[in-house]
Amino acid sequence: MSEVLIQLFVQLISDYTGLRIRTQDREALCRKLGSRIRTLKLSSPEDYYKLLEGGIDPNNSFSGIAAQGEWRELITLLTTGESYFFRDSGQFWLLENVLLPELIADQRQISRSAGNAKPSLRIWSAGCSTGEEPYSLAILLTQLIPDWENWNLFILGTDINHESISQAQQGLYSPWSFRMIEPERLPQYFQQRKNQWKVEEKYRRLVTFRVGNLARDRFPDLTGDLAHLDLIICRNVFVYFEYEVIGEILGKFAKTLRPGGYLMTAHAELHGQNLEQFTPKVFAQSVVYQCRDNSSVNIPVSPYQGYNLPSSFPLPSSSGSATPPKFEPVKNNIPRHRYQPPRYQSSTSSPDLTLKNSDISVLLQKAETLFNADRLDESLQTFQDIVRLQPRHFQAYYLIAKIYANLGNYHQAERYCQQAISIDALSVQPYYIMAHIAEEKGELDRAKYWLKRILYLAPLSLSAYLELGAIYERESDLKRANKMRRTAL
Protein backbone atom coordinates (compact mmCIF):
# COMPACT_ATOMS: atom_id res chain seq x y z
CA MET A 1 0.00 0.00 0.00
CA SER A 2 1.45 3.35 -1.01
CA GLU A 3 2.29 6.07 1.52
CA VAL A 4 -0.24 8.35 -0.13
CA LEU A 5 -3.05 5.83 0.29
CA ILE A 6 -2.04 5.09 3.90
CA GLN A 7 -2.24 8.81 4.66
CA LEU A 8 -5.69 8.95 3.06
CA PHE A 9 -6.85 6.10 5.33
CA VAL A 10 -5.34 7.87 8.39
CA GLN A 11 -7.20 11.07 7.54
CA LEU A 12 -10.45 9.24 6.84
CA ILE A 13 -10.27 7.41 10.18
CA SER A 14 -9.55 10.68 11.95
CA ASP A 15 -12.51 12.38 10.26
CA TYR A 16 -14.90 9.59 11.20
CA THR A 17 -13.72 8.66 14.70
CA GLY A 18 -11.38 11.42 15.87
CA LEU A 19 -8.72 8.78 16.52
CA ARG A 20 -5.07 9.74 16.08
CA ILE A 21 -3.04 7.15 14.15
CA ARG A 22 0.59 7.70 15.09
CA THR A 23 3.45 7.10 12.69
CA GLN A 24 4.61 4.06 14.65
CA ASP A 25 1.08 2.60 14.44
CA ARG A 26 0.82 2.67 10.66
CA GLU A 27 2.29 -0.79 10.12
CA ALA A 28 -0.31 -2.28 12.45
CA LEU A 29 -3.00 -0.24 10.70
CA CYS A 30 -2.00 -1.71 7.33
CA ARG A 31 -2.34 -5.22 8.75
CA LYS A 32 -5.82 -4.48 10.06
CA LEU A 33 -6.91 -2.89 6.79
CA GLY A 34 -5.52 -5.87 4.89
CA SER A 35 -7.47 -8.23 7.12
CA ARG A 36 -10.75 -6.47 6.33
CA ILE A 37 -9.96 -6.28 2.59
CA ARG A 38 -9.36 -10.05 2.49
CA THR A 39 -12.50 -10.78 4.54
CA LEU A 40 -14.63 -8.71 2.15
CA LYS A 41 -12.80 -10.18 -0.88
CA LEU A 42 -12.23 -6.74 -2.36
CA SER A 43 -9.89 -6.40 -5.30
CA SER A 44 -7.86 -3.45 -3.98
CA PRO A 45 -7.28 -1.14 -1.01
CA GLU A 46 -8.77 1.65 -3.10
CA ASP A 47 -12.10 -0.19 -3.18
CA TYR A 48 -12.03 -0.53 0.59
CA TYR A 49 -11.32 3.18 0.94
CA LYS A 50 -14.33 3.98 -1.24
CA LEU A 51 -16.49 1.68 0.89
CA LEU A 52 -15.47 3.44 4.11
CA GLU A 53 -15.89 6.82 2.47
CA GLY A 54 -19.53 5.93 1.91
CA GLY A 55 -20.06 6.23 5.67
CA ILE A 56 -19.11 9.90 5.47
CA ASP A 57 -20.19 10.98 1.99
CA PRO A 58 -23.89 10.28 1.38
CA ASN A 59 -23.37 10.82 -2.37
CA ASN A 60 -20.87 7.96 -2.60
CA SER A 61 -21.97 5.21 -4.96
CA PHE A 62 -21.44 2.52 -2.33
CA SER A 63 -24.28 1.70 0.03
CA GLY A 64 -24.27 3.91 3.14
CA ILE A 65 -25.67 1.02 5.21
CA ALA A 66 -22.84 -1.26 4.10
CA ALA A 67 -20.33 1.47 4.93
CA GLN A 68 -21.73 1.92 8.44
CA GLY A 69 -21.53 -1.81 9.03
CA GLU A 70 -17.93 -1.89 7.87
CA TRP A 71 -16.97 1.05 10.08
CA ARG A 72 -18.36 -0.95 12.97
CA GLU A 73 -16.06 -3.87 12.14
CA LEU A 74 -12.99 -1.68 11.60
CA ILE A 75 -13.51 0.29 14.81
CA THR A 76 -13.55 -2.98 16.74
CA LEU A 77 -10.04 -3.63 15.38
CA LEU A 78 -8.82 -0.08 15.97
CA THR A 79 -9.97 0.36 19.58
CA THR A 80 -9.18 -1.71 22.63
CA GLY A 81 -10.78 -0.97 25.99
CA GLU A 82 -8.96 -1.20 29.30
CA SER A 83 -11.00 -0.53 32.41
CA TYR A 84 -11.75 -1.84 35.87
CA PHE A 85 -14.07 -1.02 38.75
CA PHE A 86 -13.26 2.15 40.71
CA ARG A 87 -10.31 2.96 38.45
CA ASP A 88 -8.11 5.78 39.81
CA SER A 89 -8.85 5.68 43.52
CA GLY A 90 -7.90 9.35 43.92
CA GLN A 91 -10.53 10.55 41.47
CA PHE A 92 -13.16 8.22 42.90
CA TRP A 93 -12.34 9.54 46.38
CA LEU A 94 -12.98 13.03 45.00
CA LEU A 95 -16.29 11.91 43.49
CA GLU A 96 -17.41 10.23 46.70
CA ASN A 97 -16.37 12.95 49.14
CA VAL A 98 -16.69 16.22 47.21
CA LEU A 99 -18.30 16.32 43.78
CA LEU A 100 -21.24 13.94 44.10
CA PRO A 101 -22.26 15.14 47.61
CA GLU A 102 -22.29 18.70 46.23
CA LEU A 103 -24.40 17.70 43.21
CA ILE A 104 -26.77 15.65 45.39
CA ALA A 105 -27.26 18.57 47.77
CA ASP A 106 -27.92 20.90 44.82
CA GLN A 107 -30.56 18.58 43.40
CA ARG A 108 -32.26 18.15 46.78
CA GLN A 109 -32.52 21.93 47.05
CA ILE A 110 -33.90 22.20 43.51
CA SER A 111 -36.44 19.50 44.37
CA ARG A 112 -37.61 21.35 47.49
CA SER A 113 -37.85 24.65 45.59
CA ALA A 114 -40.03 22.93 42.99
CA GLY A 115 -42.47 21.71 45.62
CA ASN A 116 -40.82 18.41 46.58
CA ALA A 117 -40.65 17.13 43.04
CA LYS A 118 -38.67 13.92 42.57
CA PRO A 119 -34.97 14.89 42.57
CA SER A 120 -32.83 13.80 39.66
CA LEU A 121 -29.15 13.34 38.89
CA ARG A 122 -27.83 12.94 35.34
CA ILE A 123 -24.38 11.48 34.64
CA TRP A 124 -22.63 10.50 31.39
CA SER A 125 -19.64 8.14 31.24
CA ALA A 126 -18.28 9.04 27.79
CA GLY A 127 -15.94 6.38 26.44
CA CYS A 128 -17.03 3.83 29.03
CA SER A 129 -15.32 0.83 27.38
CA THR A 130 -16.82 -2.37 28.84
CA GLY A 131 -18.90 -0.58 31.47
CA GLU A 132 -16.95 -0.81 34.72
CA GLU A 133 -16.98 2.95 35.24
CA PRO A 134 -20.75 3.60 34.97
CA TYR A 135 -21.49 0.56 37.13
CA SER A 136 -18.99 1.90 39.72
CA LEU A 137 -20.91 5.18 39.69
CA ALA A 138 -24.21 3.34 40.20
CA ILE A 139 -22.79 1.53 43.25
CA LEU A 140 -21.40 4.78 44.62
CA LEU A 141 -24.68 6.69 44.20
CA THR A 142 -26.68 4.04 46.07
CA GLN A 143 -24.24 4.42 48.96
CA LEU A 144 -24.43 8.23 48.96
CA ILE A 145 -28.22 8.54 48.55
CA PRO A 146 -30.10 6.52 51.20
CA ASP A 147 -33.43 7.08 49.42
CA TRP A 148 -32.00 6.58 45.93
CA GLU A 149 -35.08 4.63 44.82
CA ASN A 150 -37.07 7.86 45.17
CA TRP A 151 -34.74 9.67 42.76
CA ASN A 152 -34.61 9.88 38.97
CA LEU A 153 -31.06 8.61 38.55
CA PHE A 154 -29.78 8.57 34.97
CA ILE A 155 -26.36 7.08 34.23
CA LEU A 156 -25.42 6.79 30.56
CA GLY A 157 -22.43 4.85 29.27
CA THR A 158 -21.33 5.26 25.66
CA ASP A 159 -18.45 3.91 23.63
CA ILE A 160 -17.61 3.76 19.94
CA ASN A 161 -16.79 0.05 20.14
CA HIS A 162 -19.93 -2.07 19.61
CA GLU A 163 -18.39 -5.16 21.21
CA SER A 164 -17.45 -3.22 24.36
CA ILE A 165 -21.02 -1.94 24.71
CA SER A 166 -22.41 -5.43 24.20
CA GLN A 167 -20.19 -6.73 27.00
CA ALA A 168 -21.17 -3.80 29.23
CA GLN A 169 -24.87 -4.59 28.76
CA GLN A 170 -24.26 -8.16 29.92
CA GLY A 171 -22.63 -6.91 33.13
CA LEU A 172 -20.45 -10.02 33.44
CA TYR A 173 -16.79 -9.58 34.42
CA SER A 174 -13.65 -11.57 35.17
CA PRO A 175 -11.68 -11.12 38.42
CA TRP A 176 -9.23 -8.81 36.60
CA SER A 177 -11.92 -6.10 36.54
CA PHE A 178 -12.05 -6.07 40.35
CA ARG A 179 -8.42 -5.40 41.19
CA MET A 180 -9.37 -2.27 43.18
CA ILE A 181 -12.08 -4.02 45.23
CA GLU A 182 -11.37 -6.25 48.22
CA PRO A 183 -12.51 -9.81 47.33
CA GLU A 184 -14.67 -10.07 50.46
CA ARG A 185 -16.77 -7.09 49.29
CA LEU A 186 -17.65 -8.52 45.88
CA PRO A 187 -20.80 -10.38 47.05
CA GLN A 188 -22.29 -7.04 48.14
CA TYR A 189 -22.52 -5.84 44.55
CA PHE A 190 -22.10 -8.89 42.30
CA GLN A 191 -23.39 -12.43 41.86
CA GLN A 192 -20.78 -15.10 41.23
CA ARG A 193 -21.15 -17.09 38.01
CA LYS A 194 -18.46 -19.78 38.03
CA ASN A 195 -15.20 -17.83 37.63
CA GLN A 196 -16.94 -14.55 36.75
CA TRP A 197 -19.10 -11.99 38.54
CA LYS A 198 -22.35 -10.43 37.34
CA VAL A 199 -23.47 -6.94 38.40
CA GLU A 200 -26.50 -7.02 40.71
CA GLU A 201 -29.74 -6.24 38.91
CA LYS A 202 -30.51 -3.11 40.98
CA TYR A 203 -27.29 -1.48 39.77
CA ARG A 204 -27.76 -2.63 36.19
CA ARG A 205 -31.19 -0.98 36.08
CA LEU A 206 -29.60 2.39 36.85
CA VAL A 207 -27.29 2.34 33.81
CA THR A 208 -28.14 2.77 30.13
CA PHE A 209 -25.59 1.78 27.49
CA ARG A 210 -25.44 2.76 23.86
CA VAL A 211 -22.91 3.07 21.06
CA GLY A 212 -21.70 6.64 20.66
CA ASN A 213 -19.18 8.50 18.51
CA LEU A 214 -17.91 11.58 20.35
CA ALA A 215 -16.39 13.02 17.19
CA ARG A 216 -19.46 12.73 14.93
CA ASP A 217 -22.53 12.56 17.19
CA ARG A 218 -24.50 15.74 17.72
CA PHE A 219 -24.96 16.76 21.32
CA PRO A 220 -26.51 18.29 23.30
CA ASP A 221 -29.66 16.55 22.12
CA LEU A 222 -32.54 18.52 23.64
CA THR A 223 -35.06 15.93 22.43
CA GLY A 224 -33.20 13.02 24.01
CA ASP A 225 -31.10 12.19 27.06
CA LEU A 226 -27.95 14.18 26.31
CA ALA A 227 -28.80 17.57 27.77
CA HIS A 228 -28.67 19.36 31.13
CA LEU A 229 -26.21 16.84 32.60
CA ASP A 230 -24.78 17.22 36.10
CA LEU A 231 -21.55 15.32 35.47
CA ILE A 232 -19.61 14.08 32.45
CA ILE A 233 -16.74 11.67 33.03
CA CYS A 234 -14.47 11.21 30.03
CA ARG A 235 -11.27 9.60 31.28
CA ASN A 236 -8.43 8.01 29.31
CA VAL A 237 -10.23 8.81 26.04
CA PHE A 238 -8.71 12.04 24.75
CA VAL A 239 -5.22 10.55 24.78
CA TYR A 240 -6.24 8.68 21.60
CA PHE A 241 -7.77 11.69 19.84
CA GLU A 242 -6.46 14.37 17.50
CA TYR A 243 -5.83 17.70 19.24
CA GLU A 244 -8.38 19.61 17.17
CA VAL A 245 -11.05 16.97 17.75
CA ILE A 246 -10.59 17.26 21.52
CA GLY A 247 -11.35 20.97 21.30
CA GLU A 248 -14.53 20.33 19.31
CA ILE A 249 -15.75 17.72 21.81
CA LEU A 250 -15.02 20.04 24.74
CA GLY A 251 -17.26 22.64 23.13
CA LYS A 252 -20.08 20.10 22.86
CA PHE A 253 -19.53 18.92 26.44
CA ALA A 254 -19.84 22.51 27.70
CA LYS A 255 -23.22 22.89 25.99
CA THR A 256 -24.40 19.51 27.28
CA LEU A 257 -23.62 20.22 30.94
CA ARG A 258 -25.94 22.36 33.02
CA PRO A 259 -24.32 25.51 34.48
CA GLY A 260 -22.35 24.37 37.51
CA GLY A 261 -22.06 20.80 36.23
CA TYR A 262 -18.68 19.09 36.21
CA LEU A 263 -16.40 17.53 33.60
CA MET A 264 -13.80 15.05 34.83
CA THR A 265 -11.03 13.77 32.56
CA ALA A 266 -7.88 11.77 33.17
CA HIS A 267 -4.84 13.69 34.36
CA ALA A 268 -3.27 16.12 31.84
CA GLU A 269 -5.58 15.10 28.97
CA LEU A 270 -6.72 18.70 28.39
CA HIS A 271 -3.23 20.16 28.46
CA GLY A 272 -3.06 23.17 26.12
CA GLN A 273 -6.77 23.14 25.27
CA ASN A 274 -9.00 26.22 25.36
CA LEU A 275 -10.92 25.96 28.63
CA GLU A 276 -12.69 29.32 28.56
CA GLN A 277 -16.09 27.64 28.92
CA PHE A 278 -15.01 25.97 32.17
CA THR A 279 -13.70 26.98 35.56
CA PRO A 280 -10.83 24.62 36.46
CA LYS A 281 -10.93 23.57 40.11
CA VAL A 282 -7.79 22.10 41.62
CA PHE A 283 -8.03 19.39 44.27
CA ALA A 284 -5.24 17.26 45.68
CA GLN A 285 -6.60 14.27 43.77
CA SER A 286 -7.30 15.86 40.38
CA VAL A 287 -8.23 18.93 38.40
CA VAL A 288 -11.92 19.02 37.43
CA TYR A 289 -13.73 21.49 35.20
CA GLN A 290 -16.94 23.24 36.22
CA CYS A 291 -19.20 24.50 33.47
CA ARG A 292 -19.51 28.28 33.55
CA ASP A 293 -22.83 30.08 33.65
CA ASN A 294 -22.13 33.27 31.75
CA SER A 295 -25.53 34.64 32.69
CA SER A 296 -24.81 34.34 36.40
CA VAL A 297 -22.59 36.47 38.59
CA ASN A 298 -22.32 33.71 41.18
CA ILE A 299 -19.35 31.91 39.65
CA PRO A 300 -17.02 30.20 42.15
CA VAL A 301 -13.56 31.74 42.39
CA SER A 302 -11.15 29.64 40.38
CA PRO A 303 -7.99 28.43 42.08
CA TYR A 304 -6.32 29.45 38.80
CA GLN A 305 -7.14 33.11 39.46
CA GLY A 306 -4.06 35.14 38.63
CA TYR A 307 -2.67 32.40 36.37
CA ASN A 308 -3.14 32.38 32.61
CA LEU A 309 -4.19 29.02 31.21
CA PRO A 310 -2.46 28.86 27.82
CA SER A 311 -4.44 27.65 24.84
CA SER A 312 -1.09 26.62 23.39
CA PHE A 313 2.47 26.58 24.70
CA PRO A 314 4.71 29.49 23.65
CA LEU A 315 8.23 28.40 22.74
CA PRO A 316 10.96 29.65 25.07
CA SER A 317 13.75 31.85 23.80
CA SER A 318 16.62 30.22 22.01
CA SER A 319 18.90 30.99 24.93
CA GLY A 320 16.87 28.86 27.30
CA SER A 321 17.81 25.37 28.39
CA ALA A 322 16.49 22.87 30.84
CA THR A 323 18.26 20.69 33.36
CA PRO A 324 16.62 17.34 34.03
CA PRO A 325 15.91 16.50 37.66
CA LYS A 326 17.74 13.86 39.62
CA PHE A 327 15.86 10.60 39.34
CA GLU A 328 17.31 7.28 40.39
CA PRO A 329 15.58 4.20 38.95
CA VAL A 330 14.43 2.14 41.89
CA LYS A 331 15.43 -1.45 42.47
CA ASN A 332 12.75 -4.10 42.51
CA ASN A 333 13.48 -5.00 46.12
CA ILE A 334 12.61 -1.53 47.44
CA PRO A 335 9.28 -1.70 49.27
CA ARG A 336 6.56 0.37 47.66
CA HIS A 337 4.07 2.44 49.60
CA ARG A 338 0.44 1.43 49.41
CA TYR A 339 -1.56 4.35 48.09
CA GLN A 340 -4.01 5.91 50.53
CA PRO A 341 -6.21 8.71 49.19
CA PRO A 342 -5.30 11.92 51.06
CA ARG A 343 -7.82 13.80 53.09
CA TYR A 344 -9.75 16.38 51.13
CA GLN A 345 -8.30 19.86 51.06
CA SER A 346 -10.54 22.53 49.59
CA SER A 347 -9.27 23.93 46.32
CA THR A 348 -10.29 27.39 47.46
CA SER A 349 -8.27 27.32 50.66
CA SER A 350 -5.94 30.28 51.00
CA PRO A 351 -2.35 30.29 52.25
CA ASP A 352 -1.64 31.64 55.72
CA LEU A 353 -1.41 35.37 55.05
CA THR A 354 0.55 35.91 58.26
CA LEU A 355 3.32 33.62 57.08
CA LYS A 356 6.36 35.47 55.77
CA ASN A 357 8.13 34.44 52.58
CA SER A 358 11.32 34.17 54.59
CA ASP A 359 9.67 31.50 56.78
CA ILE A 360 8.72 29.45 53.73
CA SER A 361 12.27 29.84 52.39
CA VAL A 362 13.68 28.47 55.63
CA LEU A 363 11.34 25.45 55.47
CA LEU A 364 12.23 24.90 51.82
CA GLN A 365 15.96 25.04 52.56
CA LYS A 366 15.50 22.57 55.42
CA ALA A 367 13.50 20.17 53.22
CA GLU A 368 16.05 20.30 50.41
CA THR A 369 18.91 19.70 52.85
CA LEU A 370 17.11 16.63 54.23
CA PHE A 371 16.44 15.44 50.68
CA ASN A 372 20.10 15.75 49.66
CA ALA A 373 21.03 13.81 52.80
CA ASP A 374 18.67 10.98 51.71
CA ARG A 375 16.48 11.54 54.79
CA LEU A 376 13.46 11.21 52.56
CA ASP A 377 10.72 10.68 55.14
CA GLU A 378 11.70 13.83 57.07
CA SER A 379 12.10 15.78 53.85
CA LEU A 380 8.69 14.64 52.64
CA GLN A 381 7.01 15.77 55.86
CA THR A 382 8.62 19.22 55.60
CA PHE A 383 7.57 19.67 51.98
CA GLN A 384 4.02 18.68 52.90
CA ASP A 385 4.07 21.31 55.67
CA ILE A 386 4.97 23.86 53.00
CA VAL A 387 2.06 22.98 50.70
CA ARG A 388 -0.34 23.10 53.63
CA LEU A 389 0.85 26.66 54.29
CA GLN A 390 1.09 27.67 50.62
CA PRO A 391 -1.18 25.39 48.54
CA ARG A 392 0.23 26.70 45.24
CA HIS A 393 3.93 26.22 45.94
CA PHE A 394 5.26 24.68 42.72
CA GLN A 395 8.71 23.70 44.00
CA ALA A 396 7.27 21.83 46.99
CA TYR A 397 4.87 19.78 44.84
CA TYR A 398 7.65 19.02 42.36
CA LEU A 399 10.09 17.86 45.04
CA ILE A 400 7.42 15.75 46.76
CA ALA A 401 6.89 14.04 43.41
CA LYS A 402 10.64 13.45 43.11
CA ILE A 403 10.77 11.88 46.58
CA TYR A 404 7.90 9.52 45.80
CA ALA A 405 9.53 8.60 42.49
CA ASN A 406 12.77 7.68 44.25
CA LEU A 407 10.79 5.64 46.78
CA GLY A 408 9.15 3.73 43.94
CA ASN A 409 5.66 5.04 44.73
CA TYR A 410 4.90 6.00 41.13
CA HIS A 411 1.19 6.60 41.66
CA GLN A 412 1.83 9.31 44.23
CA ALA A 413 4.74 10.73 42.22
CA GLU A 414 2.54 11.15 39.14
CA ARG A 415 -0.23 12.72 41.22
CA TYR A 416 2.08 15.37 42.68
CA CYS A 417 3.61 16.00 39.25
CA GLN A 418 0.11 16.80 38.00
CA GLN A 419 -0.34 19.22 40.91
CA ALA A 420 2.93 20.95 39.99
CA ILE A 421 1.91 21.10 36.32
CA SER A 422 -1.45 22.64 37.22
CA ILE A 423 0.47 25.48 38.92
CA ASP A 424 3.19 25.99 36.29
CA ALA A 425 2.45 24.17 33.04
CA LEU A 426 5.53 25.64 31.34
CA SER A 427 8.13 24.15 33.69
CA VAL A 428 9.76 21.03 32.26
CA GLN A 429 10.85 19.51 35.57
CA PRO A 430 7.67 17.51 36.33
CA TYR A 431 7.59 16.24 32.74
CA TYR A 432 11.04 14.68 33.21
CA ILE A 433 9.78 12.75 36.24
CA MET A 434 6.69 11.59 34.32
CA ALA A 435 8.89 10.44 31.42
CA HIS A 436 11.24 8.50 33.69
CA ILE A 437 8.37 6.84 35.53
CA ALA A 438 6.76 5.80 32.24
CA GLU A 439 10.05 4.32 31.06
CA GLU A 440 10.52 2.45 34.33
CA LYS A 441 7.03 0.98 33.91
CA GLY A 442 7.83 -0.07 30.34
CA GLU A 443 5.35 2.44 28.87
CA LEU A 444 7.68 3.66 26.16
CA ASP A 445 5.05 5.49 24.10
CA ARG A 446 4.05 7.46 27.20
CA ALA A 447 7.71 8.23 27.98
CA LYS A 448 8.19 9.55 24.44
CA TYR A 449 5.08 11.68 24.82
CA TRP A 450 6.46 13.46 27.91
CA LEU A 451 9.95 13.88 26.39
CA LYS A 452 8.45 15.45 23.27
CA ARG A 453 6.44 17.76 25.52
CA ILE A 454 9.73 18.87 27.09
CA LEU A 455 11.25 19.58 23.67
CA TYR A 456 8.20 21.61 22.72
CA LEU A 457 8.64 23.77 25.81
CA ALA A 458 12.45 23.90 25.79
CA PRO A 459 13.92 23.00 22.37
CA LEU A 460 17.50 23.07 23.74
CA SER A 461 16.92 20.30 26.29
CA LEU A 462 19.81 18.03 25.34
CA SER A 463 18.91 15.31 27.83
CA ALA A 464 15.45 14.92 26.30
CA TYR A 465 16.94 14.38 22.84
CA LEU A 466 19.39 11.80 24.20
CA GLU A 467 16.71 9.97 26.20
CA LEU A 468 14.40 9.88 23.18
CA GLY A 469 17.27 8.47 21.14
CA ALA A 470 17.85 5.75 23.72
CA ILE A 471 14.17 4.77 23.66
CA TYR A 472 14.10 4.67 19.86
CA GLU A 473 17.18 2.43 19.96
CA ARG A 474 15.40 0.07 22.39
CA GLU A 475 12.59 -0.09 19.84
CA SER A 476 15.12 -0.86 17.06
CA ASP A 477 14.20 2.40 15.33
CA LEU A 478 17.80 3.33 14.59
CA LYS A 479 16.87 5.99 12.06
CA ARG A 480 15.03 8.07 14.66
CA ALA A 481 17.60 7.26 17.36
CA ASN A 482 20.40 8.64 15.22
CA LYS A 483 18.32 11.69 14.29
CA MET A 484 17.82 12.54 17.97
CA ARG A 485 21.56 12.23 18.66
CA ARG A 486 22.51 14.32 15.64
CA THR A 487 20.11 17.01 16.80
CA ALA A 488 21.67 16.96 20.27
CA LEU A 489 25.14 17.34 18.76
Side-chain angles (χ1 to χ4, degrees):
M1 194 180 301
S2 69
E3 284 296 322
V4 173
L5 187 56
I6 293 173
Q7 182 56 40
L8 287 173
F9 272 112
V10 168
Q11 187 59 52
L12 189 67
I13 291 168
S14 174
D15 291 342
Y16 190 83
T17 67
L19 294 173
R20 174 171 56 95
I21 305 296
R22 302 168 302 176
T23 303
Q24 60 266 36
D25 297 330
R26 293 193 176 194
E27 184 178 344
L29 173 64
C30 289
R31 290 196 299 269
K32 293 169 183 176
L33 294 174
S35 171
R36 294 306 305 160
I37 291 169
R38 289 189 296 273
T39 299
L40 296 171
K41 298 180 180 179
L42 295 175
S43 58
S44 69
E46 288 79 2
D47 285 344
Y48 188 58
Y49 180 87
K50 291 177 182 178
L51 172 60
L52 293 176
E53 195 177 32
I56 297 178
D57 180 8
N59 298 319
N60 193 283
S61 58
F62 284 85
S63 166
I65 296 177
Q68 293 297 330
E70 183 51 36
W71 272 112
R72 172 175 172 167
E73 297 298 326
L74 181 60
I75 286 170
T76 301
L77 295 178
L78 294 176
T79 58
T80 55
E82 162 60 16
S83 188
Y84 49 90
F85 283 88
F86 296 96
R87 182 178 185 177
D88 194 324
S89 56
Q91 286 193 329
F92 261 96
W93 185 95
L94 186 60
L95 285 167
E96 179 179 2
N97 293 276
V98 183
L99 301 183
L100 287 176
E102 175 188 318
L103 294 173
I104 291 168
D106 287 347
Q107 292 303 326
R108 286 193 187 278
Q109 180 60 43
I110 292 171
S111 171
R112 286 192 293 267
S113 300
N116 291 322
K118 203 171 186 181
S120 66
L121 196 63
R122 302 172 56 76
I123 300 175
W124 179 15
S125 172
C128 69
S129 185
T130 46
E132 288 92 335
E133 181 175 87
Y135 283 134
S136 297
L137 291 167
I139 293 171
L140 189 55
L141 285 178
T142 60
Q143 294 174 341
L144 293 174
I145 306 176
D147 59 338
W148 63 269
E149 292 178 301
N150 297 322
W151 281 58
N152 287 321
L153 296 179
F154 174 74
I155 305 172
L156 175 66
T158 66
D159 198 273
I160 197 172
N161 189 312
H162 288 69
E163 289 190 358
S164 293
I165 290 297
S166 177
Q167 182 177 339
Q169 290 170 332
Q170 295 176 29
L172 193 63
Y173 298 96
S174 69
W176 184 238
S177 291
F178 305 106
R179 49 194 184 272
M180 290 301 292
I181 301 180
E182 296 86 349
E184 60 270 17
R185 295 182 60 193
L186 286 179
Q188 297 179 38
Y189 316 115
F190 308 92
Q191 297 176 349
Q192 189 164 11
R193 303 286 176 86
K194 296 183 179 179
N195 62 337
Q196 292 185 306
W197 293 84
K198 192 175 183 68
V199 181
E200 284 278 5
E201 179 64 22
K202 66 178 180 180
Y203 304 120
R204 292 178 59 199
R205 288 199 306 267
L206 295 177
V207 184
T208 300
F209 290 103
R210 69 172 69 126
V211 176
N213 185 330
L214 293 176
R216 290 182 62 82
D217 290 350
R218 293 184 179 181
F219 53 89
D221 178 7
L222 299 178
T223 63
D225 298 321
L226 283 178
H228 307 298
L229 298 180
D230 299 287
L231 173 66
I232 297 176
I233 301 179
C234 186
R235 302 189 302 166
N236 306 296
V237 176
F238 287 143
V239 68
Y240 302 108
F241 278 22
E242 293 285 0
Y243 180 86
E244 294 78 7
V245 176
I246 297 173
E248 294 171 1
I249 296 172
L250 284 177
K252 294 193 288 185
F253 278 167
K255 295 175 182 177
T256 306
L257 285 165
R258 66 168 177 82
Y262 286 105
L263 169 65
M264 174 179 279
T265 69
H267 307 290
E269 282 192 302
L270 302 189
H271 206 55
Q273 290 289 337
N274 185 347
L275 299 172
E276 63 182 11
Q277 299 178 85
F278 297 92
T279 298
K281 301 185 72 173
V282 181
F283 299 90
Q285 298 78 17
S286 183
V287 180
V288 295
Y289 306 90
Q290 190 167 35
C291 187
R292 293 183 186 273
D293 181 2
N294 293 326
S295 64
S296 173
V297 297
N298 187 27
I299 297 177
V301 176
S302 168
Y304 280 107
Q305 187 171 359
Y307 295 83
N308 292 323
L309 292 174
S311 57
S312 60
F313 283 123
L315 292 178
S317 64
S318 58
S319 62
S321 62
T323 303
K326 172 187 174 184
F327 177 85
E328 297 295 335
V330 297
K331 304 299 181 183
N332 290 333
N333 60 352
I334 294 180
R336 302 197 177 196
H337 296 256
R338 179 173 177 82
Y339 170 67
Q340 295 294 334
R343 290 185 296 177
Y344 165 60
Q345 177 181 3
S346 171
S347 65
T348 59
S349 60
S350 300
D352 184 353
L353 299 180
T354 65
L355 195 69
K356 297 179 180 178
N357 288 335
S358 58
D359 297 328
I360 292 293
S361 297
V362 170
L363 281 176
L364 186 63
Q365 184 178 9
K366 173 187 174 183
E368 289 178 336
T369 301
L370 291 168
F371 176 79
N372 292 329
D374 286 331
R375 293 164 63 180
L376 298 185
D377 287 341
E378 296 172 78
S379 176
L380 180 61
Q381 182 60 55
T382 307
F383 280 127
Q384 289 174 335
D385 290 340
I386 293 173
V387 298
R388 276 194 290 271
L389 295 168
Q390 284 196 1
R392 297 195 59 78
H393 198 290
F394 168 84
Q395 188 72 359
Y397 279 114
Y398 158 65
L399 291 171
I400 289 173
K402 190 154 67 168
I403 290 173
Y404 276 125
N406 281 281
L407 289 172
N409 190 338
Y410 295 154
H411 184 98
Q412 288 283 59
E414 290 172 323
R415 188 168 67 81
Y416 278 96
C417 278
Q418 295 296 348
Q419 285 289 94
I421 290 169
S422 72
I423 297 169
D424 183 2
L426 302 183
S427 174
V428 301
Q429 294 172 310
Y431 298 116
Y432 269 109
I433 295 181
M434 299 286 277
H436 293 154
I437 289 174
E439 190 170 1
E440 280 292 299
K441 292 162 68 176
E443 299 172 354
L444 299 187
D445 284 343
R446 198 66 179 159
K448 289 186 292 187
Y449 170 85
W450 292 118
L451 291 169
K452 290 176 182 177
R453 179 72 67 181
I454 292 168
L455 293 176
Y456 186 65
L457 293 171
L460 299 185
S461 301
L462 300 184
S463 295
Y465 285 111
L466 295 175
E467 291 181 33
L468 266 175
I471 292 176
Y472 282 130
E473 185 172 10
R474 286 178 61 183
E475 296 178 327
S476 300
D477 191 345
L478 298 183
K479 182 178 179 180
R480 284 195 175 85
N482 291 330
K483 179 181 179 181
M484 292 296 105
R485 287 163 182 157
R486 284 196 301 270
T487 304
L489 287 172

